Amino acid sequence: MEHLFTNLAAAFTGWMITLGLSPVWADIILLLVKWIIIITIITLNIIVLIWLERKVSAFFQERLGPNRLGPFGIFQTIADAIKLLTKEDIVPSAADKLIFKTAPMFFIVVAVMLYTVIPLGQGMEVINLNIGLLFFISIGSLSTIALLMAGWGSDNKWSLMGAVRSVAQMISYEIPLAFSLLGVVMISGSLNLQDIVAAQDNLWFIILQPIAFITYFIAATAELNRGPFDMPEAEQELTGGAYTEYTGMRWALFFLAEYTNLVAVSALMATVFLGGWQGPWLPSWLWIIIKTYGVILVFFWVKWTFPRIRMDQLMSFSWKVLVPVSLGNILLTGAGIYFCKWMGWC
Amino acid sequence: MNGQGLIKGLGITLKHFFQKEITEQYPDVMPELAPRFRGCLQFEFEKCIACGICVNSCPNDVLSFETEKSENSKKKKLLSYTIDFQYCMFCNLCVEGCPKDCLHFDHDFELSTFSRDDIKRVYLRPAEMDEEEEVETASMQDEQENKEQNKIEAMSKALQKNPAKILAQVLEQEEDIKILSELVQESEKTALKMAELLVKDKEKAAKVAAGFVTKEKKNRLQAEKGGEE
Amino acid sequence: MMQSDIYTVNVGPIHPSTHGGLHAEAVMDGEIIQDVIVHLGYVHRSVEKIAESKTYQQFVPYTARLDYLATNLPVLGYCQTVEKLLGIQVPERAEYIRVIMAELSRIASHQIAIAATGIDLGATTGLMYGMRDRERIMNIFEMTGGQRLLSSYIRIGGVAADIPKEFIPVVRSFAHDIPLMIDEYNGLMTGNEIWAARMQGVGILSLEDAVKYGVTGPNLRASGIAYDIRKAEPYGIYDRFDFDIPVGSRGDSLDRWKVRIEELRQSGRIIEQALDNLPEGEITARVPKVLKPEPGIEVYHRIESAKGELGYYIVSDGGKKPYRLHVRAPSFINLMVLPLVCRGGVFQDIITNIATLDPILGESDR
Ligand code: SF4
Ligand code: SF4
């Protein structure tokens, strides 16, 4: 079981080489196949995830959640997807059409790109980049542009307010986000995610870096636009923020991208802080799924408990609390590493 | 403060996560309704006396009815009763006002319809009610006839017993009264005829009585003549 | 120095957080509110004019539609006004039942305010908990009045029907559970740091301004004055009950929120006392079928509704219908301070302020 997927990939490449393809082409085709598989998994996973969030939020609120279609309402998301696909596509007449239309596509492309570097198991990743973590952070911050495009292109005050908020928020939270990961990088000594996983062989980084974990969790919530930091959307205030003018499939793409981001960030958290795919008994790819879902459930739990924070408080929280704390964490980690070396522990 | 509140909130939601859900499973499980619940207004045509109290007490002009003066009694005949339900605000004032309890609310709360026309409900007079009424009038006529017959019989008996007093109503001269009295006492047929007329039509009775008397007088005259001859 | 333009954002009339058809036009400078212009009238149904074309009894169901979240309170106010007009004495038992129903309505209204504030500030779960608890009151109304929301159970001269026998245990258990509910609201929302940050110091209404504007109800009490018509000028039998008036000190959103929560507890106390002392007897006075007050008299009667001082002013010309009826709607007057409390805050404060001022548009627009 453990090497199921890696063996499959190796067999696939081997088979293509026997067909007379050069190894380079075989690699490229393998990459394409990996992408297609990942996109399929993302889409299928999101169907489950949306259903799960609905169910979980319902349970928090003593409701039942979707329960009409299929056992426990599992097919509800599919029905919704069909509904969204068949809905009329409305583009506001005053909208900046090109920007308005490309924004959701941009958003989802950026979200899917995040999966390139996440190790989904032992030796299972699309590309084993040696700056994987940096890649993840930088690609992750690109989604701001998509939201800004959506807000600008809609030509709507609510959308623009949502977009401006999201830019301000993301820029502020990018810094503690990166800083809190820095401690991990310092300990593991690598930006390669597989190396980071390997470094957690004995001890998960959540134990070595608890402060970093908490600051990363908060900053990631803000990055993901999830409650209590869902400023760009803020249904109750901005009536949907940057997404106000979107309908049908375009809106669904945003929705999809948000969940894709959520899974990616949760997977990264599992990788960086929770030991990645490492774990006893079960195969590695199952472990990462379990850990990712665990983190996702915590995201759900937080969202469905807390009220939304105010914009100015959000900013000041980032600059006055998170940035200093994560900086302090770096200092502490550095001191700790020197102390260890001095003591001869590592 | 400093995060304790946040953690407490998380604890509360977590507690509810494992609690029983309170969602009502309508329409799979119909809700349990209180006995007084007001769903749909129902009308019972048979009981209504068309008094109009409900119409007057309704604040929103939901109710209206049509009546017709029936021929053989002063009672108004209810032809149709309309509940224009789209305006009803379920206030219960009509139900409380009705003296005959013909309005009541049932527990059917699924009142949506596909067209506005379906909301309005018109109760037409049921056909059985008209049939019933005919039978009723017929029997009433029978009864009246019976009553008259009884009266006539009583009258004829009274005539035979004490004719002078009764016949004074129709005849003026005492002589005539005496003659007719004798006649009535002699023949039951005459008595009955007189009685019937007396009950039904006094004027005619007077005429007929006069006729009887003149006829009798003639008879007697002829009898006297015959006797002389 | 960067030059910034002033722009307006229309919050409402169709907006998730305006509690009905409220239209608040926010004049903004960046994220800072310069002014808020309140546009009213989207729920105008000319209730006062309707009153002139209905008999006194027929108007009873309409009053429930003023404040449709605390239905028994506006009905109670109207019925007591007409009783004052005609000099009708309401039987004891009816008075006690009225108090119970009125306080239940107050709780229902406050619970909606709590739930709605929850969702307006993004705590969706708070909404569900508030609504869940209010559902029990709705069931009690259904049991007594036949309708869940607009039962028009209180009538001129008394109440429509006697309470069913399962009423007392149900209400008692509800009153008993109120402190538990409050604990939950406090745990989930009041005690939450984000919540406190969103509300503390937001929308400060000074006592002076509150009095100047004629603000009443929990909003006034949050500004620091213990003015409650149930105590200041007891109507019905309110002088027989022992309860406290919760007051705030700063007059900000958090105080308004806390006052409402505390009022739940006090209403629960009143209900418990009323249940203990509920006498046997008639439930309605002898009221003639057609009400014809003396011509030329006018009365004003006010009660403490869930939103503040709810007053009715009726002029009679001796006919079956009121010559003129005016409603002093607390929500209308309370809404007038919205620009005042919003100025200088950020955009999200408009939502907080609308939620904690707790207006009800059916009443303010009439
Ligand atoms: S319930 Fe009220 S509104 Fe409806 S028909 Fe009866 S009196 Fe009219
Ligand atoms: S009040 Fe009753 S009896 Fe009178 S008209 Fe109405 S339904 Fe008929």
mmCIF file of all heavy atoms in Angstrom, chain B residues 54-84:
data_model
loop_
_atom_site.group_PDB
_atom_site.id
_atom_site.type_symbol
_atom_site.label_atom_id
_atom_site.label_comp_id
_atom_site.label_asym_id
_atom_site.label_seq_id
_atom_site.Cartn_x
_atom_site.Cartn_y
_atom_site.Cartn_z
ATOM 1 N N CYS B 54 -70.019 37.602 11.206
ATOM 2 C CA CYS B 54 -68.639 37.333 10.817
ATOM 3 C C CYS B 54 -68.145 38.392 9.843
ATOM 4 O O CYS B 54 -67.033 38.901 9.964
ATOM 5 C CB CYS B 54 -68.529 35.942 10.199
ATOM 6 S SG CYS B 54 -69.659 35.689 8.834
ATOM 7 N N VAL B 55 -68.989 38.724 8.881
ATOM 8 C CA VAL B 55 -68.589 39.713 7.871
ATOM 9 C C VAL B 55 -68.296 41.048 8.548
ATOM 10 O O VAL B 55 -67.320 41.729 8.225
ATOM 11 C CB VAL B 55 -69.691 39.862 6.812
ATOM 12 C CG1 VAL B 55 -69.314 40.926 5.804
ATOM 13 C CG2 VAL B 55 -69.943 38.545 6.129
ATOM 14 N N ASN B 56 -69.142 41.384 9.497
ATOM 15 C CA ASN B 56 -68.946 42.674 10.152
ATOM 16 C C ASN B 56 -67.739 42.689 11.075
ATOM 17 O O ASN B 56 -67.136 43.735 11.275
ATOM 18 C CB ASN B 56 -70.191 43.039 10.969
ATOM 19 C CG ASN B 56 -71.303 43.470 10.060
ATOM 20 O OD1 ASN B 56 -71.043 43.949 8.956
ATOM 21 N ND2 ASN B 56 -72.534 43.261 10.496
ATOM 22 N N SER B 57 -67.396 41.531 11.638
ATOM 23 C CA SER B 57 -66.283 41.563 12.584
ATOM 24 C C SER B 57 -64.941 41.380 11.899
ATOM 25 O O SER B 57 -63.910 41.649 12.479
ATOM 26 C CB SER B 57 -66.477 40.504 13.664
ATOM 27 O OG SER B 57 -66.613 39.254 13.061
ATOM 28 N N CYS B 58 -64.933 40.961 10.660
ATOM 29 C CA CYS B 58 -63.653 40.741 9.995
ATOM 30 C C CYS B 58 -62.999 42.078 9.651
ATOM 31 O O CYS B 58 -63.607 42.912 9.001
ATOM 32 C CB CYS B 58 -63.845 39.919 8.737
ATOM 33 S SG CYS B 58 -62.322 39.717 7.811
ATOM 34 N N PRO B 59 -61.777 42.265 10.086
ATOM 35 C CA PRO B 59 -61.126 43.555 9.819
ATOM 36 C C PRO B 59 -60.686 43.717 8.367
ATOM 37 O O PRO B 59 -60.408 44.823 7.938
ATOM 38 C CB PRO B 59 -59.898 43.540 10.725
ATOM 39 C CG PRO B 59 -59.983 42.316 11.537
ATOM 40 C CD PRO B 59 -60.916 41.394 10.871
ATOM 41 N N ASN B 60 -60.588 42.653 7.650
ATOM 42 C CA ASN B 60 -59.913 42.747 6.353
ATOM 43 C C ASN B 60 -60.793 42.412 5.172
ATOM 44 O O ASN B 60 -60.305 42.156 4.092
ATOM 45 C CB ASN B 60 -58.707 41.796 6.357
ATOM 46 C CG ASN B 60 -57.422 42.561 6.295
ATOM 47 O OD1 ASN B 60 -57.448 43.778 6.305
ATOM 48 N ND2 ASN B 60 -56.319 41.869 6.200
ATOM 49 N N ASP B 61 -62.100 42.387 5.352
ATOM 50 C CA ASP B 61 -63.029 42.083 4.259
ATOM 51 C C ASP B 61 -62.709 40.762 3.579
ATOM 52 O O ASP B 61 -62.699 40.668 2.353
ATOM 53 C CB ASP B 61 -63.029 43.204 3.214
ATOM 54 C CG ASP B 61 -63.489 44.509 3.809
ATOM 55 O OD1 ASP B 61 -64.168 44.453 4.837
ATOM 56 O OD2 ASP B 61 -63.155 45.566 3.257
ATOM 57 N N VAL B 62 -62.441 39.779 4.388
ATOM 58 C CA VAL B 62 -62.145 38.470 3.814
ATOM 59 C C VAL B 62 -63.436 37.764 3.440
ATOM 60 O O VAL B 62 -63.541 37.116 2.412
ATOM 61 C CB VAL B 62 -61.365 37.613 4.838
ATOM 62 C CG1 VAL B 62 -61.129 36.233 4.310
ATOM 63 C CG2 VAL B 62 -60.073 38.283 5.192
ATOM 64 N N LEU B 63 -64.440 37.940 4.286
ATOM 65 C CA LEU B 63 -65.657 37.139 4.169
ATOM 66 C C LEU B 63 -66.750 37.917 3.458
ATOM 67 O O LEU B 63 -66.853 39.139 3.588
ATOM 68 C CB LEU B 63 -66.143 36.734 5.562
ATOM 69 C CG LEU B 63 -65.080 36.105 6.461
ATOM 70 C CD1 LEU B 63 -65.591 36.007 7.870
ATOM 71 C CD2 LEU B 63 -64.708 34.747 5.931
ATOM 72 N N SER B 64 -67.543 37.195 2.684
ATOM 73 C CA SER B 64 -68.730 37.809 2.099
ATOM 74 C C SER B 64 -69.693 36.673 1.772
ATOM 75 O O SER B 64 -69.279 35.532 1.618
ATOM 76 C CB SER B 64 -68.376 38.577 0.828
ATOM 77 O OG SER B 64 -67.793 37.714 -0.100
ATOM 78 N N PHE B 65 -70.976 37.003 1.685
ATOM 79 C CA PHE B 65 -71.920 35.950 1.274
ATOM 80 C C PHE B 65 -73.062 36.570 0.504
ATOM 81 O O PHE B 65 -73.292 37.769 0.527
ATOM 82 C CB PHE B 65 -72.423 35.136 2.464
ATOM 83 C CG PHE B 65 -73.107 35.919 3.538
ATOM 84 C CD1 PHE B 65 -74.378 36.419 3.351
ATOM 85 C CD2 PHE B 65 -72.478 36.138 4.760
ATOM 86 C CE1 PHE B 65 -75.018 37.120 4.357
ATOM 87 C CE2 PHE B 65 -73.101 36.847 5.758
ATOM 88 C CZ PHE B 65 -74.380 37.347 5.556
ATOM 89 N N GLU B 66 -73.777 35.701 -0.215
ATOM 90 C CA GLU B 66 -74.941 36.141 -0.979
ATOM 91 C C GLU B 66 -76.154 35.456 -0.396
ATOM 92 O O GLU B 66 -76.111 34.268 -0.087
ATOM 93 C CB GLU B 66 -74.798 35.714 -2.440
ATOM 94 C CG GLU B 66 -73.914 36.629 -3.234
ATOM 95 C CD GLU B 66 -73.772 36.129 -4.646
ATOM 96 O OE1 GLU B 66 -74.424 35.123 -5.005
ATOM 97 O OE2 GLU B 66 -73.012 36.756 -5.387
ATOM 98 N N THR B 67 -77.242 36.214 -0.313
ATOM 99 C CA THR B 67 -78.466 35.594 0.195
ATOM 100 C C THR B 67 -79.596 35.869 -0.773
ATOM 101 O O THR B 67 -79.491 36.671 -1.690
ATOM 102 C CB THR B 67 -78.866 36.175 1.551
ATOM 103 O OG1 THR B 67 -78.905 37.588 1.424
ATOM 104 C CG2 THR B 67 -77.912 35.770 2.633
ATOM 105 N N GLU B 68 -80.720 35.178 -0.497
ATOM 106 C CA GLU B 68 -81.900 35.372 -1.319
ATOM 107 C C GLU B 68 -83.065 35.283 -0.361
ATOM 108 O O GLU B 68 -83.067 34.452 0.535
ATOM 109 C CB GLU B 68 -81.945 34.235 -2.353
ATOM 110 C CG GLU B 68 -83.057 34.329 -3.328
ATOM 111 C CD GLU B 68 -83.108 33.039 -4.138
ATOM 112 O OE1 GLU B 68 -83.548 32.018 -3.593
ATOM 113 O OE2 GLU B 68 -82.683 33.068 -5.289
ATOM 114 N N LYS B 69 -84.066 36.123 -0.525
ATOM 115 C CA LYS B 69 -85.272 36.024 0.307
ATOM 116 C C LYS B 69 -86.032 34.797 -0.133
ATOM 117 O O LYS B 69 -86.383 34.655 -1.292
ATOM 118 C CB LYS B 69 -86.134 37.265 0.062
ATOM 119 C CG LYS B 69 -85.804 38.424 0.951
ATOM 120 C CD LYS B 69 -86.962 38.634 1.939
ATOM 121 C CE LYS B 69 -86.541 39.530 3.067
ATOM 122 N NZ LYS B 69 -86.411 40.925 2.669
ATOM 123 N N SER B 70 -86.284 33.885 0.764
ATOM 124 C CA SER B 70 -87.007 32.702 0.313
ATOM 125 C C SER B 70 -88.498 33.012 0.295
ATOM 126 O O SER B 70 -88.977 33.875 1.042
ATOM 127 C CB SER B 70 -86.662 31.523 1.211
ATOM 128 O OG SER B 70 -87.614 31.401 2.197
ATOM 129 N N GLU B 71 -89.271 32.290 -0.570
ATOM 130 C CA GLU B 71 -90.649 32.689 -0.867
ATOM 131 C C GLU B 71 -91.582 32.479 0.308
ATOM 132 O O GLU B 71 -92.324 33.377 0.694
ATOM 133 C CB GLU B 71 -91.208 31.904 -2.066
ATOM 134 C CG GLU B 71 -90.296 31.715 -3.234
ATOM 135 C CD GLU B 71 -89.469 30.456 -3.099
ATOM 136 O OE1 GLU B 71 -90.007 29.430 -2.631
ATOM 137 O OE2 GLU B 71 -88.268 30.511 -3.422
ATOM 138 N N ASN B 72 -91.479 31.274 0.887
ATOM 139 C CA ASN B 72 -92.538 30.963 1.838
ATOM 140 C C ASN B 72 -92.168 31.175 3.297
ATOM 141 O O ASN B 72 -92.850 30.732 4.186
ATOM 142 C CB ASN B 72 -93.068 29.537 1.617
ATOM 143 C CG ASN B 72 -91.939 28.601 1.309
ATOM 144 O OD1 ASN B 72 -90.809 28.861 1.732
ATOM 145 N ND2 ASN B 72 -92.221 27.546 0.579
ATOM 146 N N SER B 73 -91.010 31.810 3.554
ATOM 147 C CA SER B 73 -90.770 32.191 4.942
ATOM 148 C C SER B 73 -89.948 33.469 4.931
ATOM 149 O O SER B 73 -89.372 33.847 3.925
ATOM 150 C CB SER B 73 -90.038 31.082 5.684
ATOM 151 O OG SER B 73 -88.756 30.960 5.110
ATOM 152 N N LYS B 74 -89.862 34.107 6.084
ATOM 153 C CA LYS B 74 -89.137 35.368 6.138
ATOM 154 C C LYS B 74 -87.634 35.131 6.184
ATOM 155 O O LYS B 74 -86.844 36.035 6.017
ATOM 156 C CB LYS B 74 -89.575 36.145 7.374
ATOM 157 C CG LYS B 74 -90.884 36.867 7.128
ATOM 158 C CD LYS B 74 -91.134 37.911 8.186
ATOM 159 C CE LYS B 74 -92.617 38.253 8.206
ATOM 160 N NZ LYS B 74 -93.268 37.877 9.462
ATOM 161 N N LYS B 75 -87.230 33.880 6.433
ATOM 162 C CA LYS B 75 -85.809 33.572 6.580
ATOM 163 C C LYS B 75 -85.046 33.876 5.307
ATOM 164 O O LYS B 75 -85.523 33.624 4.216
ATOM 165 C CB LYS B 75 -85.644 32.091 6.919
ATOM 166 C CG LYS B 75 -85.177 31.906 8.315
ATOM 167 C CD LYS B 75 -84.724 30.529 8.669
ATOM 168 C CE LYS B 75 -84.941 29.424 7.704
ATOM 169 N NZ LYS B 75 -84.610 28.112 8.213
ATOM 170 N N LYS B 76 -83.761 34.407 5.485
ATOM 171 C CA LYS B 76 -82.910 34.616 4.322
ATOM 172 C C LYS B 76 -82.307 33.287 3.940
ATOM 173 O O LYS B 76 -81.948 32.477 4.772
ATOM 174 C CB LYS B 76 -81.789 35.610 4.665
ATOM 175 C CG LYS B 76 -82.217 37.043 4.447
ATOM 176 C CD LYS B 76 -81.063 37.974 4.592
ATOM 177 C CE LYS B 76 -80.841 38.333 6.056
ATOM 178 N NZ LYS B 76 -79.710 39.196 6.281
ATOM 179 N N LYS B 77 -82.195 33.084 2.645
ATOM 180 C CA LYS B 77 -81.625 31.822 2.170
ATOM 181 C C LYS B 77 -80.198 32.112 1.707
ATOM 182 O O LYS B 77 -79.979 32.971 0.854
ATOM 183 C CB LYS B 77 -82.479 31.304 1.032
ATOM 184 C CG LYS B 77 -82.161 29.910 0.615
ATOM 185 C CD LYS B 77 -83.244 29.396 -0.329
ATOM 186 C CE LYS B 77 -82.585 28.697 -1.490
ATOM 187 N NZ LYS B 77 -83.534 28.382 -2.551
ATOM 188 N N LEU B 78 -79.220 31.391 2.296
ATOM 189 C CA LEU B 78 -77.809 31.608 1.952
ATOM 190 C C LEU B 78 -77.503 30.912 0.626
ATOM 191 O O LEU B 78 -77.743 29.728 0.473
ATOM 192 C CB LEU B 78 -76.933 31.040 3.068
ATOM 193 C CG LEU B 78 -75.446 31.327 2.993
ATOM 194 C CD1 LEU B 78 -75.194 32.803 3.080
ATOM 195 C CD2 LEU B 78 -74.738 30.600 4.103
ATOM 196 N N LEU B 79 -77.023 31.673 -0.334
ATOM 197 C CA LEU B 79 -76.728 31.072 -1.638
ATOM 198 C C LEU B 79 -75.262 30.671 -1.762
ATOM 199 O O LEU B 79 -74.937 29.599 -2.227
ATOM 200 C CB LEU B 79 -77.066 32.059 -2.748
ATOM 201 C CG LEU B 79 -78.544 32.322 -2.947
ATOM 202 C CD1 LEU B 79 -78.740 33.310 -4.056
ATOM 203 C CD2 LEU B 79 -79.286 31.038 -3.257
ATOM 204 N N SER B 80 -74.384 31.566 -1.345
ATOM 205 C CA SER B 80 -72.962 31.220 -1.423
ATOM 206 C C SER B 80 -72.207 31.978 -0.342
ATOM 207 O O SER B 80 -72.651 33.034 0.120
ATOM 208 C CB SER B 80 -72.404 31.577 -2.794
ATOM 209 O OG SER B 80 -72.318 32.972 -2.905
ATOM 210 N N TYR B 81 -71.074 31.417 0.030
ATOM 211 C CA TYR B 81 -70.268 32.030 1.077
ATOM 212 C C TYR B 81 -68.836 32.052 0.570
ATOM 213 O O TYR B 81 -68.306 31.029 0.124
ATOM 214 C CB TYR B 81 -70.362 31.197 2.354
ATOM 215 C CG TYR B 81 -69.819 31.881 3.575
ATOM 216 C CD1 TYR B 81 -70.665 32.609 4.396
ATOM 217 C CD2 TYR B 81 -68.479 31.793 3.893
ATOM 218 C CE1 TYR B 81 -70.174 33.239 5.522
ATOM 219 C CE2 TYR B 81 -67.986 32.435 5.006
ATOM 220 C CZ TYR B 81 -68.840 33.155 5.823
ATOM 221 O OH TYR B 81 -68.362 33.784 6.926
ATOM 222 N N THR B 82 -68.200 33.233 0.605
ATOM 223 C CA THR B 82 -66.878 33.367 0.006
ATOM 224 C C THR B 82 -65.848 33.692 1.073
ATOM 225 O O THR B 82 -66.062 34.580 1.902
ATOM 226 C CB THR B 82 -66.879 34.499 -1.029
ATOM 227 O OG1 THR B 82 -67.981 34.291 -1.899
ATOM 228 C CG2 THR B 82 -65.592 34.497 -1.810
ATOM 229 N N ILE B 83 -64.746 32.971 1.052
ATOM 230 C CA ILE B 83 -63.603 33.294 1.917
ATOM 231 C C ILE B 83 -62.468 33.669 0.991
ATOM 232 O O ILE B 83 -61.902 32.813 0.308
ATOM 233 C CB ILE B 83 -63.205 32.104 2.809
ATOM 234 C CG1 ILE B 83 -64.393 31.681 3.658
ATOM 235 C CG2 ILE B 83 -62.030 32.477 3.683
ATOM 236 C CD1 ILE B 83 -64.109 30.488 4.523
ATOM 237 N N ASP B 84 -62.141 34.949 0.944
ATOM 238 C CA ASP B 84 -61.039 35.381 0.089
ATOM 239 C C ASP B 84 -59.780 35.325 0.940
ATOM 240 O O ASP B 84 -59.368 36.288 1.575
ATOM 241 C CB ASP B 84 -61.295 36.791 -0.426
ATOM 242 C CG ASP B 84 -60.442 37.084 -1.631
ATOM 243 O OD1 ASP B 84 -59.592 36.237 -1.949
ATOM 244 O OD2 ASP B 84 -60.620 38.143 -2.243
#
